Amino acid sequence: MPAAAVTARICSSMRTMLLLPALLAALSQSPDEPRRVVRAATAAVEGDSVEVVRARWQEAASVGSRAARLGLGTLAWVTYDYASARAQLEELLPAGAQPDDAVSVRARIALAQVARAEADFATAERMLIAAREGARRIGDEAAETEALLVLAMTRSRTQGPAAAEALFDEALPRTVADPHLGALHHCARADLLVLTNRPARDLAERGAALARRAGAGRLEAACVAARASDRAREGDVEGALADMLASAELRRRLHDHLGLAVSLQWRGYWLRSVGRLEQARIELEEAVAAARVAGANSPLAWSYANLAYIDLALGDAPRGSLHADSASTLFATQGDRYGAGTLQGVLADVSFGARELAAARAAYTQSLATLEPLGFGMGTLTAHVGLAHVAMTEGAWEEADRRLRLAAGVARAAGAEEQTFGLAYHRGVLALRQGRLAEAERELLDGLRRLEAGPTEELAGAQPDWTYHFLMRLAEIRSSVGDLEGALGSANEALDALEAWRSTLTRPELRVLAFQVSEDPSDPDLGFASIVAALVSAGRLEDAFALSERVRARSRADQLARIEALGAAGAGAGADGGAGLVAARASDVRAALPPRTALLSWVTGRGGEPTTLFIIDQEGARGHVLPPADSVEVAVRRLAAALAAGEAPAGLIATVSRHVLPGSPGWLPGGVEHLVLVPDGPLHRAPFDVLAETGAPPLIDRYTLTLQGSAGLAVQAWRSGAVEAPPSVLALGDPELPPSERGLLPPLPGARREARFAARYGMGSELFLGPDASEARLKALEPGRYGLLHFATHARVDEATLAGAALVLAAGEGEDGVLRAGELGSLRLDVPVVLLSSCSTADGRAIRGEGLVGLASALGEAGVRTVVLTRWDVDDRVQAELIEVLYERLAEGLTVAEAVRAAKVEMRARGASPAVWAALVVVGDGDVRVSLAPPSRPAWAYGAAVGLGGLLVLIGAATLRARRRSGSAPA
């Protein structure tokens, strides 16, 4: 702790100790003494003297002092022990028809504050009304005024600004001679003024001065927070953030966790509003922690609501829904109409993101009905804009225009027109959708100028998402009118702005989601697919392809750039060879293509935008504009489900094929044998094996198939040259389930057989089963030791969340046995090939700018070059048969992609259903070879190889652990 802070804390403690004897000696029933007791409790917390004060009050209470019992109840309140506070304070309330006295009035006010902390506004209001009446009867004007002011603060949330204003007006004359009450009045009223978009700084500053005179540090912090809110109202976000930081630091120093949660929540909100999503999330998560310490449900609910906004802005609707549900549950129990109405807007955004238009409309309408009568302008504006986008999606142009006009009127009435440059964007989008392109361009250029000339330079620079929105929409307009140079320039400028913002993020989960940032609920990809299709239709294929590559596999591209910058040092260097940065042009792809190989890359959009398919082979590069992908999304999922059930419905196969493959015959030249596929959007889940153009056999009959995250990653793999992986296998099978998974996952009787079979191949192969198939053993893996890592285990993959993907291994040695994707990606496995023989390991979350994020992408981050996975759940005993054929073909010298195709074809010939053979998929470099020796060698040779391999693994692991302990190797 800094010396100044230590000195301040000692001085505060001394002040408290000097004050206590006088207070404790003067405990009586006079009106002023209970008030002094309440203040002494707060001073004790701020001065770290709680235990001393509590002991003295307990002694006084034991001989019948009601004021001392009030002090104990107040101490419990300000230390957030609300159950004890209620129990002790309720004992001080009069029984039956007995009248209130000074102690019981103060007890009621304290109980109201407990209820407010827990966001039980109905109880708070009831207590405050009773306290006000009791104080009036006994002539305690200070208590009556305080009850009136806290009641005003409460009703601002439950009945709206007008009801609160009347109470503030009534209380004002009584606060003139009392600095403490004056500070409370000024700060609380300043908050209300800001909430209704009215100037409040002078009132907040006068309140802060009064609070300093009264020695009320918590009130001073509240006044500084109110001043911060007024600066934000004026558009001075940097000043607001600085003031709210000062408020937070003062509250932290005073151990005011509830106030700290409020300050951090507001900072998170403002940071979110100017696009600083990473810092906003950090502040809001700290606000959640402080609110939980304080048991403060109101800032907790608001923090969850703001986290939901961040999730939705990043396209993470599932996580946003969880945060919104948490906030909704809290608001529902609070009687906070402002919070509940605002939260309805968040829930509407969640429904809109899931394309549930009726639910979105209902939630926006409910938000509007709640907030508009209360006079909360910005929430009303947001609801009108949301309803406008619902109308646009449905083609109800007049309704959309009406809603945007209403939103503009709300902005003018609130004095916030200059801050709502976003309305220019929404008006521009409406004009664009209606084909009024010149008007759309004028609106967007006007909004962009207003954004760039924002209230402060910092605010303008902190809006990359809006800059991106404006520029990408301008690109769409220019492509529509044939200005392809202008379209390309605007689109690249938009992506530059977004990439510059993304480069400032340090949290991996935010960097992964950055290209999903959107303030446009009706079209989150902002017409990008239409721009690409227009360029292709105009013959600008090189430009269109380069543009499409800019939003693919960004995290992996970042990693490769780091490796290049470090001279091929760092995670994954062994697998990638440090072979240069990712190329992005079609000519680069063609130059790097291996013989008999073609690359197919799709760009999809939402809301009826066309799909573009790029085909690059030895003869050249071509582009095909296909039907919209969102019209086939349901068919893709239905087809995958049918295949998983063992069926192959011809109608569904034909439907998906028409949306995915060119309709013209001869779309690939003869001699092509290997297809490298770069899917997009819903096509990540397309079962390409069974697709076929009309009258032709399925793709699996003619081609080996490999999935890649981008064309650039394919080029990088090709440039690094052919890989001959070490001829050894490490197999982990049927691990002993960790405690967290027991009873949740079924046994895997076929996995043990499969792992044993895999370990029979190669030289120096290793097998670990049951408790030995552990997370700790994998993390101690010697880099470069094995050519193939085989997991015959359970896995978890959740397409709804980034945090859901994990491999389940045995626990022990400090590991919990659940190896999550984030942990997996941070390892340096340095194994060329990984086979994940678990259920649905190829699944994940489709994220714009990254592709399908799950176990495969995590393994790529860990330096794995090729991953073999399963698309759906497969019986492990049947799966074992397919895997055995795969290993036999690998031992024949086939590449991984060739061996997988050969195994599929053979299983089909044996009569296996598509549920078995169509489940397997190759991601990454399909041309890797693992020269496995078949298990036909003499038993003594196999045993010697396994024994030698085991000895090498043990020596390597021990050496690595020793190096880590000494600090000479990375942990």
Coordinates of all heavy atoms in Angstrom, one line a residue, residues 863-940:
G863 N -0.1 -25.6 -32.4 CA 1.0 -26.0 -33.3 C 0.7 -27.3 -34.1 O 1.6 -27.9 -34.7
V864 N -0.6 -27.7 -34.1 CA -1.0 -29.0 -34.8 C -1.3 -28.6 -36.2 O -2.0 -27.6 -36.5 CB -2.2 -29.6 -34.1 CG1 -2.6 -30.8 -34.9 CG2 -1.8 -30.1 -32.7
R865 N -0.7 -29.4 -37.1 CA -0.9 -29.0 -38.6 C -2.2 -29.6 -39.2 O -2.8 -29.0 -40.0 CB 0.3 -29.6 -39.3 CG 0.4 -29.0 -40.7 CD 1.7 -29.5 -41.4 NE 1.9 -29.1 -42.7 CZ 2.7 -28.2 -43.2 NH1 3.6 -27.6 -42.3 NH2 2.8 -27.8 -44.4
T866 N -2.6 -30.8 -38.7 CA -3.7 -31.5 -39.3 C -4.5 -32.1 -38.2 O -3.9 -32.8 -37.3 CB -3.3 -32.6 -40.3 OG1 -2.3 -32.0 -41.2 CG2 -4.5 -33.2 -41.0
V867 N -5.8 -32.0 -38.2 CA -6.7 -32.5 -37.2 C -7.8 -33.4 -37.9 O -8.4 -32.9 -38.9 CB -7.4 -31.5 -36.3 CG1 -8.1 -32.1 -35.2 CG2 -6.3 -30.5 -35.8
V868 N -8.0 -34.6 -37.4 CA -9.1 -35.4 -37.9 C -10.2 -35.5 -36.8 O -9.8 -35.8 -35.7 CB -8.6 -36.9 -38.2 CG1 -9.7 -37.7 -38.8 CG2 -7.4 -36.8 -39.2
L869 N -11.4 -35.1 -37.2 CA -12.5 -35.0 -36.2 C -13.7 -35.7 -36.7 O -13.8 -36.2 -37.8 CB -12.8 -33.5 -35.9 CG -11.6 -32.6 -35.7 CD1 -11.3 -31.8 -37.0 CD2 -11.9 -31.6 -34.6
T870 N -14.7 -35.7 -35.8 CA -16.0 -36.3 -36.1 C -17.1 -35.2 -36.1 O -17.1 -34.3 -35.2 CB -16.4 -37.4 -35.2 OG1 -16.4 -36.8 -33.8 CG2 -15.5 -38.5 -35.3
R871 N -18.0 -35.2 -37.0 CA -19.1 -34.2 -37.2 C -20.2 -34.4 -36.2 O -20.9 -33.5 -35.9 CB -19.7 -34.2 -38.6 CG -18.8 -33.6 -39.6 CD -19.5 -33.3 -40.9 NE -18.7 -32.7 -41.9 CZ -18.5 -31.4 -42.0 NH1 -19.0 -30.6 -41.1 NH2 -17.8 -30.9 -43.0
W872 N -20.5 -35.7 -35.8 CA -21.6 -35.9 -34.9 C -21.3 -37.1 -34.0 O -20.2 -37.7 -34.1 CB -22.9 -36.2 -35.7 CG -22.7 -37.1 -36.9 CD1 -22.5 -38.5 -36.8 CD2 -22.7 -36.8 -38.2 NE1 -22.3 -39.0 -38.1 CE2 -22.5 -37.9 -39.0 CE3 -22.8 -35.6 -38.9 CZ2 -22.4 -37.9 -40.4 CZ3 -22.8 -35.6 -40.3 CH2 -22.6 -36.7 -41.0
D873 N -22.2 -37.5 -33.1 CA -22.0 -38.6 -32.2 C -22.0 -39.9 -33.0 O -22.9 -40.1 -33.8 CB -23.1 -38.6 -31.1 CG -23.1 -37.4 -30.2 OD1 -22.1 -36.6 -30.4 OD2 -24.0 -37.3 -29.3
V874 N -21.0 -40.7 -32.7 CA -20.9 -42.0 -33.3 C -20.7 -43.1 -32.3 O -19.9 -42.8 -31.3 CB -19.7 -42.0 -34.3 CG1 -19.6 -43.4 -35.0 CG2 -19.9 -40.9 -35.4
D875 N -21.3 -44.2 -32.4 CA -21.0 -45.4 -31.5 C -19.6 -45.7 -31.5 O -18.9 -45.9 -32.6 CB -21.9 -46.6 -32.0 CG -21.8 -47.7 -31.0 OD1 -20.7 -48.3 -30.9 OD2 -22.7 -48.0 -30.3
D876 N -18.9 -45.7 -30.3 CA -17.5 -45.8 -30.3 C -17.0 -47.2 -30.8 O -15.9 -47.3 -31.3 CB -17.0 -45.5 -28.8 CG -17.5 -46.5 -27.8 OD1 -18.7 -46.8 -27.8 OD2 -16.6 -47.1 -27.1
R877 N -17.8 -48.2 -30.7 CA -17.4 -49.5 -31.2 C -17.4 -49.6 -32.7 O -16.5 -50.1 -33.3 CB -18.3 -50.6 -30.6 CG -18.1 -50.9 -29.1 CD -19.2 -51.7 -28.5 NE -20.5 -50.9 -28.5 CZ -21.5 -51.3 -27.8 NH1 -21.5 -52.4 -27.0 NH2 -22.6 -50.5 -27.8
V878 N -18.4 -48.9 -33.3 CA -18.4 -48.9 -34.8 C -17.3 -47.9 -35.3 O -16.7 -48.2 -36.3 CB -19.8 -48.4 -35.3 CG1 -19.8 -48.3 -36.8 CG2 -20.9 -49.3 -34.7
Q879 N -17.1 -46.8 -34.5 CA -16.1 -45.9 -34.9 C -14.7 -46.6 -34.9 O -13.9 -46.3 -35.7 CB -16.1 -44.7 -33.9 CG -15.0 -43.7 -34.1 CD -15.4 -42.6 -35.0 OE1 -16.4 -42.6 -35.6 NE2 -14.5 -41.6 -35.1
A880 N -14.5 -47.5 -34.0 CA -13.2 -48.1 -33.9 C -12.9 -48.9 -35.2 O -11.7 -48.9 -35.6 CB -13.2 -49.1 -32.7
E881 N -13.9 -49.5 -35.8 CA -13.6 -50.2 -37.0 C -13.2 -49.3 -38.1 O -12.2 -49.6 -38.9 CB -14.9 -50.9 -37.5 CG -14.8 -51.8 -38.7 CD -16.0 -52.5 -39.1 OE1 -17.0 -52.5 -38.3 OE2 -16.0 -53.2 -40.1
L882 N -13.8 -48.1 -38.2 CA -13.4 -47.1 -39.2 C -11.9 -46.6 -38.9 O -11.1 -46.5 -39.9 CB -14.3 -45.9 -39.2 CG -14.0 -44.7 -40.0 CD1 -14.0 -45.0 -41.5 CD2 -14.9 -43.5 -39.7
I883 N -11.6 -46.4 -37.7 CA -10.3 -46.0 -37.3 C -9.2 -47.0 -37.7 O -8.1 -46.7 -38.1 CB -10.2 -45.6 -35.8 CG1 -11.2 -44.4 -35.5 CG2 -8.8 -45.3 -35.4 CD1 -10.9 -43.2 -36.3
E884 N -9.6 -48.3 -37.5 CA -8.6 -49.3 -37.8 C -8.3 -49.3 -39.3 O -7.1 -49.4 -39.7 CB -9.2 -50.7 -37.4 CG -9.2 -50.9 -35.9 CD -9.9 -52.2 -35.5 OE1 -10.2 -53.0 -36.4 OE2 -10.1 -52.4 -34.3
V885 N -9.3 -49.1 -40.2 CA -9.0 -49.0 -41.6 C -8.2 -47.8 -41.9 O -7.3 -47.8 -42.7 CB -10.4 -49.0 -42.4 CG1 -10.1 -48.8 -43.9 CG2 -11.2 -50.2 -42.1
L886 N -8.5 -46.7 -41.2 CA -7.7 -45.5 -41.4 C -6.2 -45.7 -41.1 O -5.3 -45.3 -41.9 CB -8.2 -44.3 -40.5 CG -7.4 -43.1 -40.4 CD1 -7.2 -42.4 -41.8 CD2 -8.1 -42.1 -39.4
Y887 N -5.9 -46.4 -40.0 CA -4.5 -46.6 -39.7 C -3.8 -47.5 -40.7 O -2.7 -47.4 -41.0 CB -4.4 -47.2 -38.2 CG -4.3 -46.1 -37.2 CD1 -5.4 -45.6 -36.6 CD2 -3.0 -45.7 -36.8 CE1 -5.3 -44.6 -35.6 CE2 -2.9 -44.7 -35.8 CZ -4.1 -44.1 -35.3 OH -3.9 -43.1 -34.3
E888 N -4.6 -48.5 -41.2 CA -4.0 -49.4 -42.2 C -3.6 -48.6 -43.4 O -2.5 -48.8 -44.0 CB -5.0 -50.5 -42.6 CG -5.3 -51.5 -41.4 CD -6.5 -52.4 -41.7 OE1 -7.1 -52.2 -42.8 OE2 -6.8 -53.2 -40.9
R889 N -4.4 -47.6 -43.8 CA -4.1 -46.8 -45.0 C -2.9 -45.9 -44.7 O -2.1 -45.6 -45.6 CB -5.3 -46.1 -45.5 CG -6.5 -47.0 -45.8 CD -6.2 -47.9 -47.0 NE -7.2 -49.0 -47.1 CZ -7.0 -50.2 -46.6 NH1 -5.9 -50.5 -46.0 NH2 -7.9 -51.1 -46.7
L890 N -2.9 -45.3 -43.5 CA -1.7 -44.5 -43.2 C -0.4 -45.3 -43.3 O 0.6 -44.8 -43.7 CB -1.9 -43.9 -41.8 CG -2.9 -42.8 -41.6 CD1 -3.1 -42.4 -40.1 CD2 -2.5 -41.5 -42.4
A891 N -0.5 -46.5 -42.8 CA 0.7 -47.4 -42.8 C 1.1 -47.7 -44.3 O 2.3 -48.1 -44.5 CB 0.5 -48.6 -42.0
E892 N 0.2 -47.6 -45.2 CA 0.5 -47.8 -46.6 C 1.2 -46.6 -47.3 O 1.5 -46.7 -48.4 CB -0.8 -48.2 -47.4 CG -1.4 -49.5 -47.0 CD -2.7 -49.8 -47.6 OE1 -3.2 -48.9 -48.3 OE2 -3.3 -50.8 -47.3
G893 N 1.3 -45.5 -46.5 CA 2.0 -44.4 -47.0 C 1.1 -43.3 -47.6 O 1.6 -42.3 -48.2
L894 N -0.2 -43.4 -47.4 CA -1.1 -42.4 -47.9 C -1.0 -41.1 -47.0 O -0.7 -41.2 -45.9 CB -2.5 -42.9 -47.9 CG -2.9 -44.1 -48.8 CD1 -4.4 -44.4 -48.7 CD2 -2.4 -43.9 -50.2
T895 N -1.4 -40.0 -47.6 CA -1.5 -38.8 -46.8 C -2.7 -38.9 -45.9 O -3.5 -39.8 -46.1 CB -1.7 -37.5 -47.7 OG1 -2.9 -37.6 -48.3 CG2 -0.6 -37.4 -48.7
V896 N -2.8 -38.0 -44.9 CA -3.9 -38.1 -44.0 C -5.2 -38.0 -44.8 O -6.2 -38.7 -44.5 CB -3.8 -37.0 -42.9 CG1 -5.1 -36.9 -42.1 CG2 -2.6 -37.2 -42.1
A897 N -5.4 -37.0 -45.7 CA -6.6 -36.8 -46.4 C -6.9 -38.0 -47.3 O -8.1 -38.5 -47.4 CB -6.5 -35.6 -47.3
E898 N -5.9 -38.6 -47.9 CA -6.1 -39.8 -48.7 C -6.5 -41.0 -47.9 O -7.4 -41.8 -48.3 CB -4.8 -40.1 -49.5 CG -4.5 -39.1 -50.6 CD -3.0 -39.3 -51.1 OE1 -2.2 -40.0 -50.5 OE2 -2.7 -38.8 -52.2
A899 N -5.9 -41.1 -46.7 CA -6.2 -42.3 -45.8 C -7.6 -42.2 -45.3 O -8.3 -43.2 -45.2 CB -5.2 -42.3 -44.7
V900 N -8.0 -40.9 -45.0 CA -9.4 -40.8 -44.5 C -10.4 -41.1 -45.6 O -11.4 -41.8 -45.3 CB -9.6 -39.3 -44.0 CG1 -11.1 -39.0 -43.7 CG2 -8.8 -39.1 -42.7
R901 N -10.2 -40.6 -46.8 CA -11.1 -40.9 -47.9 C -11.1 -42.4 -48.2 O -12.2 -43.0 -48.4 CB -10.7 -40.2 -49.2 CG -11.6 -40.6 -50.3 CD -11.2 -39.8 -51.6 NE -12.1 -40.3 -52.7 CZ -11.7 -41.2 -53.6 NH1 -10.5 -41.8 -53.5 NH2 -12.5 -41.6 -54.5
A902 N -9.9 -43.1 -48.2 CA -9.9 -44.5 -48.4 C -10.7 -45.3 -47.4 O -11.4 -46.2 -47.7 CB -8.4 -45.0 -48.5
A903 N -10.5 -44.8 -46.1 CA -11.3 -45.5 -45.1 C -12.8 -45.4 -45.2 O -13.6 -46.3 -45.0 CB -10.8 -45.0 -43.7
K904 N -13.2 -44.2 -45.6 CA -14.6 -43.9 -45.9 C -15.2 -44.8 -47.0 O -16.2 -45.4 -46.9 CB -14.9 -42.4 -46.2 CG -14.6 -41.5 -45.0 CD -15.0 -40.1 -45.5 CE -14.8 -39.1 -44.3 NZ -15.4 -37.8 -44.6
V905 N -14.4 -44.8 -48.1 CA -14.9 -45.6 -49.3 C -14.9 -47.1 -48.9 O -15.9 -47.8 -49.3 CB -13.9 -45.4 -50.5 CG1 -14.2 -46.3 -51.6 CG2 -14.0 -43.9 -51.0
E906 N -14.0 -47.6 -48.2 CA -14.0 -49.0 -47.8 C -15.2 -49.3 -46.9 O -15.8 -50.3 -47.0 CB -12.7 -49.4 -47.1 CG -12.6 -50.9 -46.8 CD -11.2 -51.4 -46.5 OE1 -10.3 -50.7 -46.9 OE2 -11.1 -52.4 -45.8
M907 N -15.4 -48.4 -45.9 CA -16.6 -48.7 -45.0 C -17.9 -48.6 -45.8 O -18.8 -49.4 -45.5 CB -16.5 -47.6 -43.9 CG -15.4 -47.8 -42.9 SD -15.3 -49.4 -42.1 CE -16.7 -49.2 -41.0
R908 N -18.0 -47.7 -46.7 CA -19.2 -47.7 -47.6 C -19.4 -49.0 -48.3 O -20.5 -49.6 -48.4 CB -19.2 -46.5 -48.6 CG -19.4 -45.2 -48.0 CD -19.3 -44.1 -49.1 NE -20.4 -44.2 -50.0 CZ -20.4 -43.8 -51.3 NH1 -19.3 -43.2 -51.7 NH2 -21.4 -43.9 -52.0
A909 N -18.3 -49.5 -48.8 CA -18.3 -50.8 -49.6 C -18.7 -51.9 -48.7 O -19.3 -52.9 -49.1 CB -16.9 -51.1 -50.2
R910 N -18.4 -51.8 -47.4 CA -18.8 -52.9 -46.4 C -20.2 -52.7 -46.0 O -20.7 -53.5 -45.2 CB -17.9 -52.8 -45.2 CG -16.4 -53.1 -45.4 CD -15.6 -53.1 -44.1 NE -14.2 -53.2 -44.3 CZ -13.3 -53.2 -43.3 NH1 -13.8 -53.0 -42.0 NH2 -12.0 -53.4 -43.5
G911 N -20.9 -51.7 -46.5 CA -22.3 -51.5 -46.1 C -22.5 -50.6 -44.9 O -23.7 -50.5 -44.4
A912 N -21.5 -49.9 -44.4 CA -21.7 -49.0 -43.3 C -22.6 -47.8 -43.7 O -22.6 -47.4 -44.8 CB -20.3 -48.5 -42.8
S913 N -23.4 -47.4 -42.7 CA -24.3 -46.2 -43.0 C -23.5 -44.9 -43.0 O -22.4 -44.9 -42.5 CB -25.4 -46.2 -41.9 OG -24.8 -45.6 -40.7
P914 N -24.1 -43.9 -43.6 CA -23.4 -42.5 -43.6 C -23.1 -42.1 -42.2 O -22.2 -41.2 -42.0 CB -24.4 -41.6 -44.3 CG -25.3 -42.5 -45.1 CD -25.4 -43.8 -44.3
A915 N -23.9 -42.5 -41.2 CA -23.6 -42.1 -39.8 C -22.2 -42.4 -39.4 O -21.6 -41.8 -38.5 CB -24.6 -42.8 -38.8
V916 N -21.6 -43.5 -40.0 CA -20.2 -43.9 -39.6 C -19.2 -43.2 -40.5 O -18.4 -42.4 -40.0 CB -20.1 -45.4 -39.8 CG1 -18.6 -45.8 -39.5 CG2 -21.1 -46.1 -38.9
W917 N -19.3 -43.4 -41.8 CA -18.2 -42.9 -42.7 C -18.3 -41.4 -42.9 O -17.2 -40.7 -43.1 CB -18.1 -43.6 -44.0 CG -19.4 -43.6 -44.8 CD1 -20.4 -44.5 -44.8 CD2 -19.7 -42.6 -45.8 NE1 -21.4 -44.2 -45.7 CE2 -21.0 -43.0 -46.3 CE3 -19.1 -41.4 -46.2 CZ2 -21.6 -42.2 -47.3 CZ3 -19.8 -40.7 -47.2 CH2 -21.0 -41.1 -47.7
A918 N -19.5 -40.8 -43.0 CA -19.6 -39.4 -43.3 C -19.3 -38.5 -42.1 O -19.2 -37.3 -42.2 CB -21.0 -39.0 -43.8
A919 N -19.1 -39.1 -40.9 CA -18.8 -38.3 -39.7 C -17.4 -37.8 -39.7 O -17.1 -36.7 -39.1 CB -19.0 -39.2 -38.5
L920 N -16.5 -38.4 -40.3 CA -15.0 -38.1 -40.2 C -14.7 -36.9 -41.2 O -15.2 -36.9 -42.3 CB -14.2 -39.3 -40.6 CG -12.9 -39.5 -39.7 CD1 -13.2 -39.6 -38.3 CD2 -12.2 -40.8 -40.2
V921 N -13.9 -36.0 -40.7 CA -13.5 -34.8 -41.5 C -12.1 -34.4 -41.1 O -11.6 -34.6 -40.0 CB -14.5 -33.6 -41.2 CG1 -14.4 -33.2 -39.7 CG2 -14.2 -32.4 -42.1
V922 N -11.4 -33.9 -42.2 CA -10.0 -33.5 -42.0 C -9.9 -32.0 -42.1 O -10.5 -31.3 -43.0 CB -9.1 -34.1 -43.1 CG1 -7.6 -33.6 -42.9 CG2 -9.2 -35.6 -43.1
V923 N -9.3 -31.4 -41.0 CA -9.1 -29.9 -41.0 C -7.6 -29.6 -41.0 O -6.9 -30.1 -40.2 CB -9.8 -29.3 -39.7 CG1 -9.6 -27.8 -39.6 CG2 -11.3 -29.6 -39.7
G924 N -7.2 -28.7 -41.9 CA -5.8 -28.3 -41.9 C -5.1 -28.8 -43.2 O -5.7 -28.8 -44.3
D925 N -3.9 -29.2 -43.0 CA -3.1 -29.7 -44.2 C -3.3 -31.2 -44.4 O -2.8 -32.0 -43.7 CB -1.6 -29.4 -43.9 CG -0.7 -29.8 -45.0 OD1 -1.2 -30.2 -46.1 OD2 0.5 -29.7 -44.9
G926 N -4.1 -31.5 -45.4 CA -4.4 -32.9 -45.6 C -3.2 -33.7 -46.3 O -3.3 -34.9 -46.4
D927 N -2.2 -33.0 -46.7 CA -1.1 -33.6 -47.4 C 0.0 -34.2 -46.5 O 1.0 -34.7 -46.9 CB -0.4 -32.7 -48.4 CG -1.4 -32.3 -49.5 OD1 -2.2 -33.2 -49.9 OD2 -1.3 -31.2 -50.1
V928 N -0.2 -34.1 -45.2 CA 0.8 -34.6 -44.2 C 0.8 -36.1 -44.3 O -0.2 -36.8 -44.4 CB 0.5 -34.1 -42.8 CG1 1.4 -34.8 -41.8 CG2 0.6 -32.6 -42.7
R929 N 2.0 -36.7 -44.2 CA 2.1 -38.2 -44.2 C 2.7 -38.6 -42.8 O 3.7 -38.0 -42.3 CB 3.1 -38.7 -45.3 CG 2.5 -38.4 -46.7 CD 3.5 -39.0 -47.7 NE 3.2 -38.5 -49.0 CZ 2.3 -39.1 -49.9 NH1 1.7 -40.2 -49.5 NH2 2.0 -38.6 -51.0
V930 N 2.1 -39.6 -42.2 CA 2.7 -40.2 -41.0 C 3.1 -41.6 -41.4 O 2.3 -42.5 -41.5 CB 1.6 -40.2 -39.9 CG1 2.3 -40.7 -38.6 CG2 1.0 -38.8 -39.7
S931 N 4.4 -41.8 -41.5 CA 4.9 -43.1 -42.0 C 4.8 -44.2 -41.0 O 5.9 -44.6 -40.4 CB 6.3 -42.9 -42.6 OG 6.3 -41.9 -43.6
L932 N 3.7 -44.6 -40.6 CA 3.5 -45.6 -39.6 C 3.9 -47.0 -40.1 O 3.5 -47.4 -41.1 CB 2.0 -45.6 -39.1 CG 1.5 -44.3 -38.5 CD1 0.1 -44.4 -38.1 CD2 2.3 -43.9 -37.3
A933 N 4.6 -47.7 -39.2 CA 4.9 -49.1 -39.5 C 3.8 -50.0 -39.1 O 3.2 -49.8 -38.0 CB 6.2 -49.5 -38.8
P934 N 3.3 -50.9 -39.9 CA 2.2 -51.7 -39.5 C 2.6 -52.7 -38.4 O 3.8 -53.0 -38.2 CB 1.8 -52.5 -40.8 CG 3.1 -52.5 -41.6 CD 3.8 -51.2 -41.3
P935 N 1.6 -53.2 -37.7 CA 1.9 -54.1 -36.5 C 2.2 -55.5 -36.9 O 2.0 -56.4 -36.1 CB 0.6 -54.0 -35.7 CG -0.4 -53.8 -36.7 CD 0.2 -52.9 -37.7
S936 N 2.8 -55.7 -38.1 CA 3.0 -57.1 -38.6 C 4.4 -57.5 -38.2 O 4.8 -58.7 -38.5 CB 2.8 -57.2 -40.1 OG 3.7 -56.2 -40.8
R937 N 5.3 -56.6 -37.7 CA 6.6 -57.0 -37.3 C 6.6 -58.0 -36.1 O 5.6 -58.1 -35.4 CB 7.4 -55.7 -36.9 CG 6.9 -54.9 -35.8 CD 7.6 -53.7 -35.6 NE 7.1 -52.9 -34.5 CZ 6.1 -52.0 -34.6 NH1 5.5 -51.9 -35.7 NH2 5.7 -51.3 -33.5
P938 N 7.7 -58.7 -35.8 CA 7.7 -59.6 -34.7 C 7.3 -59.0 -33.4 O 7.5 -57.8 -33.2 CB 9.2 -60.1 -34.7 CG 9.7 -59.8 -36.1 CD 8.9 -58.6 -36.6
A939 N 6.7 -59.8 -32.5 CA 6.2 -59.3 -31.3 C 7.4 -58.7 -30.4 O 7.2 -57.7 -29.8 CB 5.5 -60.4 -30.5
W940 N 8.6 -59.4 -30.5 CA 9.7 -58.9 -29.7 C 10.1 -57.5 -30.1 O 10.4 -56.6 -29.3 CB 10.9 -59.8 -29.7 CG 11.5 -59.9 -31.1 CD1 11.2 -60.9 -32.0 CD2 12.5 -59.1 -31.6 NE1 12.0 -60.7 -33.1 CE2 12.8 -59.6 -32.9 CE3 13.2 -57.9 -31.2 CZ2 13.8 -59.0 -33.8 CZ3 14.1 -57.4 -32.0 CH2 14.4 -57.9 -33.3

